[in-house]
Amino acid sequence: MDFSLSEEQRMLQETVGKFVADRYSLDQRKGYMALAEGHDQGVASELTELGLNLVQIPEDQGGLGGDAFDAMVVGEALGPGLVLEPVMEVMTAVAALAGGRPDILEDSNSHTLGLYERGQRYALTAAGTQVEGGKITGAKTLVPNTAGATHALVSASEGGQLGLYRVAMSDEAVTLFNYPLQDGRPFADLQFDGAAAERIDGVGLAEIEAAVARLTIAECAVAVGAMQAALDMTKEYLSVRKQFGRPLAAFQELQFRLVDMNMEVQDARSMAIWAANQANLTTGEALLRAASMAKAKIGKAATYVAEDSIQLHGGMGMTLEYGIGAFAKYLITFNLLHGDVDYHMGRSMRLSA
């Protein structure tokens, strides 16, 4: 099978890459993180203008009709910027869970996802969030980028059946608890005390699990882009930093370490391509298994690259001022979101039995 990029995908890659180069240097990112919202609304608007939220929406619903390979191209191009906005969540999961509703699809950038609960680890069964009489009660954790959202798509149980509900963030019965993750991305917990909840027809546990699986595969591509950037930064550092009158890159042992890092990055990229192909071809348990296999492999590789890049930078790698730490924090955080390596290894084995 030919995995080379099409002309349209190359244009998409170049467009996103130029945006990251122009608007997401590490210094610019630090400035965005220091803002009250945890990101820059102007930059978020520029991302909206790029139309990335439309990539995986069918053409007959006003989108670009792209597939998982297109999402992979976008994700890997975004990786070097460690982008703070929830681009992949909107592109994959929100688009998949909108139930074909034009009012959500046309304004998907203004929607966030509330699918996880404290004490439930990575379960998506929404045991503690309930809907009765059109009112929702309970709490959600790890909700991305609520500063730019007008509505949340929230999983909850009603009459013993799991469903997805649209809740206005402006409802007085919704309380936000904002916080940054270790890598700086803005997240929040949501508390619902009888807020109005509108059910999204045709979305249950199977659809939610599939959407999160597709999101996981897309996030793997972002991690590959971040891993490549961390490797490139480490190569550059070893080329200019000298010891005993020679660049560190001239020492054979350090060359071996760079080769090992490069092998991890290339293996991860191959797995991301395979997973994107599976996302296009499979559904149900086969899709969940593909997502778990990809996350288990790429999550492990991400941790390896994060740790080795810090070690090869020596003491400089431990400073907040030097950029490699931002990549290490992102890669470690990536490994924990939507299921860590242990969780996904276990799920892939269960689904393979």
Side-chain angles (χ1 to χ4, degrees):
M1 182 175 289
D2 183 10
F3 291 116
S4 59
L5 299 183
S6 67
E7 182 63 28
E8 291 80 6
Q9 288 170 335
R10 282 194 293 270
M11 292 175 61
L12 186 61
Q13 183 184 58
E14 291 172 3
T15 299
V16 177
K18 185 178 186 304
F19 170 83
V20 168
D22 291 343
R23 304 296 281 149
Y24 254 101
S25 70
L26 288 174
D27 287 338
Q28 288 172 314
R29 184 177 186 270
K30 288 180 183 178
Y32 304 153
M33 289 166 54
L35 298 174
E37 297 86 358
H39 74 131
D40 189 292
Q41 293 286 9
V43 173
S45 297
E46 291 181 38
L47 273 169
T48 300
E49 292 172 4
L50 291 180
L52 300 183
N53 61 308
L54 304 175
V55 168
Q56 289 201 291
I57 296 175
E59 291 183 0
D60 60 3
Q61 296 178 9
L64 301 179
D67 59 15
F69 280 123
D70 298 301
M72 182 193 73
V73 169
V74 172
E76 189 168 351
L78 287 172
L82 306 179
V83 173
L84 299 168
E85 290 75 19
V87 178
M88 307 314 288
E89 286 91 341
V90 171
M91 182 192 302
T92 57
V94 172
L97 295 174
R101 287 180 43 169
D103 57 330
I104 298 177
L105 293 174
E106 292 172 3
D107 194 28
S108 56
N109 278 315
S110 296
H111 289 73
T112 188
L113 296 168
L115 304 177
Y116 295 105
E117 297 180 1
R118 290 188 180 275
Q120 298 297 312
R121 203 160 184 251
Y122 302 116
L124 296 169
T125 50
T129 309
Q130 303 290 324
V131 172
E132 185 175 353
K135 302 292 184 180
I136 187 170
T137 58
K140 292 295 180 181
T141 191
L142 291 174
V143 180
N145 201 7
T146 53
T150 60
H151 292 81
L153 300 181
V154 181
S155 57
S157 294
E158 182 176 15
Q161 296 293 320
L162 183 71
L164 191 72
Y165 297 82
R166 187 178 187 231
V167 181
M169 300 291 284
S170 59
D171 194 305
E172 293 182 354
V174 177
T175 305
L176 277 71
F177 303 92
N178 295 300
Y179 52 85
L181 297 186
Q182 181 64 31
D183 64 355
R185 282 180 286 175
F187 273 64
D189 288 357
L190 299 182
Q191 177 71 42
F192 306 105
D193 297 299
E198 176 191 7
R199 180 155 190 157
I200 307 297
D201 293 335
V203 179
L205 178 59
E207 289 74 22
I208 292 172
E209 287 182 334
V212 173
R214 295 182 185 280
L215 170 58
T216 300
I217 290 171
E219 289 281 9
C220 283
V222 183
V224 170
M227 291 164 64
Q228 183 66 61
L231 173 60
D232 293 342
M233 183 178 289
T234 304
K235 286 180 181 178
E236 182 180 2
Y237 178 80
L238 295 183
S239 297
V240 299
R241 182 75 171 178
K242 292 185 177 181
Q243 190 66 268
F244 305 112
R246 302 167 60 194
L248 291 177
F251 292 90
Q252 191 175 57
E253 173 60 26
L254 300 185
Q255 293 174 4
F256 290 160
R257 298 280 290 275
L258 286 175
V259 169
D260 289 341
M261 288 176 65
N262 186 59
M263 289 175 61
E264 292 291 340
V265 173
Q266 298 307 322
D267 283 350
R269 180 173 287 112
S270 295
M271 178 57 85
I273 293 171
W274 175 83
N277 189 49
Q278 292 299 300
N280 287 336
L281 298 177
T282 63
T283 58
E285 289 189 351
L287 173 62
L288 303 187
R289 178 174 174 269
S292 284
M293 292 177 67
K295 183 62 182 289
K297 171 62 179 176
I298 297 174
K300 186 176 180 180
T303 301
Y304 181 91
V305 170
E307 292 176 349
D308 249 36
S309 62
I310 292 292
Q311 288 185 7
L312 291 177
H313 276 79
M316 290 295 294
M318 300 298 293
T319 63
L320 292 176
E321 292 78 13
Y322 206 76
I324 196 63
F327 286 97
K329 288 180 179 180
Y330 170 82
L331 292 171
I332 296 298
T333 304
F334 155 77
N335 186 31
L336 298 175
L337 287 175
H338 308 300
D340 59 15
V341 169
D342 290 341
Y343 170 81
H344 281 290
M345 286 184 67
R347 189 172 77 166
S348 66
M349 288 188 289
R350 288 195 303 273
L351 295 175
S352 299

